[in-house]
């Protein structure tokens, strides 16, 4: 299985990752997830800073990819996560999975996101007109991960 | 000697990114936390939360995990990436 | 909610659909599925012909999109399905979903594929060195749909 | 008068894409099938499978659904798109 992991300040190109994932012979199903900076609380979000634990983030993302590989038959997993300051509508994260069958591609992609949300050392600080505040971890993310256990 | 790292909201509350702890080893994450809490009242409060996560040498561990000299131990709030 | 549905002989561009889905305000999660022509049986697949029921296919795909909309809070659903003769590695189908939250985007995208596999009037005929044969419907696809009921 | 369409493997087995049925209406899908089966032995066999799907005016229906004059009725094997 091909595993590609990146933690970067630069934007990524979803299309390039999709094209790479398509190259995996025998994989008829490609599922991608992308997360974007959005103002979901109707505050006036002007941006977001993503802090991370350099070194551990890459390791954590690779670990997550291999845990997924141990659970499903996968051809390739790509995970890209951005750090630094991002503006509204920018891309934050991409998870792409190629597999022979769609059920495995869907499960692995969602599992990786649920795992990443709970275990990869990234922290979001939102910048709004009312000030900057650290995003609180959500119980719903813990529950999402618990489903896979 | 243990290299201790702090991230995100915890880093801000402690006004500290990195700290070198000179407690007796082998220790546990729990005993290292007690050692760090003695620093001052600010540290005592910030480092006593039950939600605090810990990684030793960049792998997530529980608070009962063993810490040996030379380890890199990181403390941080629940993660919020993705 | 934006619904875009197309049944076409021409290839589609996954990147264009992704870019369109990204434009939906308030949607922080984009999930896409793409299905490709693959030789999964290790026969010597030279291609595939996709027959459909013109008129009903577009209607069925729209129906499926609106059923998904009634179950989850979605910003946009794009479904593109190709017909005619396709070569190995060509794209067959794309389903793209934009939503505020990832769980809804994942569920809706997988649901749409499971529904499409069982209810949209397309039929595949595979061309191999041993001759051409109609693909048999799979019990696993029926079971996949039954999970949502 | 009912416009009947056949698709995929069924179309090939019947050597027919489209057929105009002149059975009494209102009918049911089931009775229309019995009417079509009388065409010849080939049709009798091909149209008696329990797996046969049916759509009336481009909406999937069960075999007990009512068919009225002017309807477009399609028969086809289980679908395999996606």
């Amino acid at each position: 299985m091909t595993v590609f992991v990146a933690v970067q300040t630069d934007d990524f190109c979803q299309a390039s990752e999709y094209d790479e994932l398509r190259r995996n012979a025998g994989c008829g199903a490609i599922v991608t997830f992308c997360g974007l900076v959005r103002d979901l609380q109707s505050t006036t979000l002007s941006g977001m800073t993503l802090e991370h634990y350099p070194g551990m983030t890459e390791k954590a993302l690779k670990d997550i990819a291999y845990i997924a590989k141990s659970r499903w038959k996968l051809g390739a997993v790509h995970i890209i996560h951005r750090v630094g300051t991002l503006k509204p509508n920018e891309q934050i994260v991409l998870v792409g999975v190629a597999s022979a069958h769609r059920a495995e591609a869907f499960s692995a992609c969602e599992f990786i996101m649920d795992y990443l949300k709970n275990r990869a050392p990234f922290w979001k600080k939102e910048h709004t007109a009312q000030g900057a505040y650290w995003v609180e971890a959500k119980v719903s993310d813990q529950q999402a991960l618990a489903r896979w256990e | 000697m243990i290299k201790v790292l702090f991230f995100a909201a915890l880093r801000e509350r402690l006004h500290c990114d990195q700290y070198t702890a000179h407690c007796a080893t082998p220790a546990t994450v729990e005993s290292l936390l007690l050692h760090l809490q003695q620093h001052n009242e600010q540290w005592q409060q910030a480092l006593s939360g039950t939600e605090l996560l810990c990684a030793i040498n960049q792998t997530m561990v529980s608070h009962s995990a063993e810490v040996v000299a030379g380890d890199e131990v990181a403390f941080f709030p629940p993660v919020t990436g993705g």
Side-chain angles (χ1 to χ4, degrees), chain A, chain B:
Chain A
M1 185 185 74
T2 312
V3 169
F4 174 79
V5 157
V7 177
Q8 60 190 50
T9 51
D10 290 342
D11 196 12
F12 54 78
C13 176
Q14 198 263 5
S16 306
E17 301 309 315
Y18 174 69
D19 289 344
E20 280 289 327
L21 289 164
R22 267 189 76 177
R23 287 205 193 100
N24 286 271
C27 292
I30 316 285
V31 173
T32 69
F33 172 86
C34 286
L36 312 171
V37 179
R38 295 297 195 189
D39 194 352
L40 297 178
Q41 271 86 44
S42 297
T43 49
T44 45
L45 190 73
S46 61
M48 179 180 280
T49 303
L50 266 147
E51 180 169 331
H52 74 127
Y53 180 175
M56 182 172 165
T57 36
E58 290 83 348
K59 193 176 168 299
L61 298 182
K62 268 186 201 153
D63 286 351
I64 295 169
Y66 284 103
I67 294 169
K69 190 208 168 202
S70 72
R71 295 183 62 139
W72 296 282
K73 212 177 157 194
L74 308 175
V77 172
H78 288 210
I79 310 176
I80 304 177
H81 203 297
R82 293 179 68 197
V83 292
T85 300
L86 304 179
K87 294 203 184 71
N89 303 322
E90 281 202 74
Q91 302 183 118
I92 304 169
V93 62
L94 172 141
V95 175
V97 175
S99 179
H101 304 290
R102 76 182 184 287
E104 292 174 286
F106 273 115
S107 294
C109 192
E110 191 168 12
F111 169 83
I112 288 168
M113 275 307 302
D114 288 344
Y115 218 97
L116 187 160
K117 281 261 177 191
N118 287 279
R119 298 291 165 83
F122 296 96
W123 301 272
K124 282 178 187 148
K125 190 175 201 174
E126 292 189 343
H127 306 285
T128 75
Q130 291 79 44
Y133 57 89
W134 292 99
V135 172
E136 296 273 331
K138 285 189 229 135
V139 175
S140 61
D141 284 328
Q142 288 175 37
Q143 289 166 341
L145 181 59
R147 288 180 307 155
W148 301 101
E149 280 155 14
Chain B
M1 210 177 83
I2 298 158
K3 180 179 169 186
V4 184
L5 305 175
F6 304 112
F7 290 98
L10 181 64
R11 174 178 58 72
E12 289 188 349
R13 281 188 74 187
L14 301 179
H15 303 286
C16 178
D17 293 26
Q18 189 173 326
Y19 177 82
T20 304
H22 296 273
C23 63
T25 54
T28 63
V29 171
E30 201 57 69
S31 69
L32 173 61
L33 274 171
L34 290 172
H35 173 83
L36 296 170
Q37 284 169 20
Q38 289 160 19
H39 195 77
N40 64 32
E41 199 173 339
Q42 179 79 17
W43 283 49
Q44 203 271 320
Q45 283 179 9
L47 292 166
S48 57
T50 53
E51 281 214 313
L52 219 57
L53 299 181
C54 180
I56 298 181
N57 301 325
Q58 310 190 347
T59 298
M60 292 263 244
V61 295
S62 76
H63 286 204
S64 60
E66 191 183 67
V67 179
V68 297
D71 276 351
E72 175 178 299
V73 181
F75 292 103
F76 42 81
V79 302
T80 57

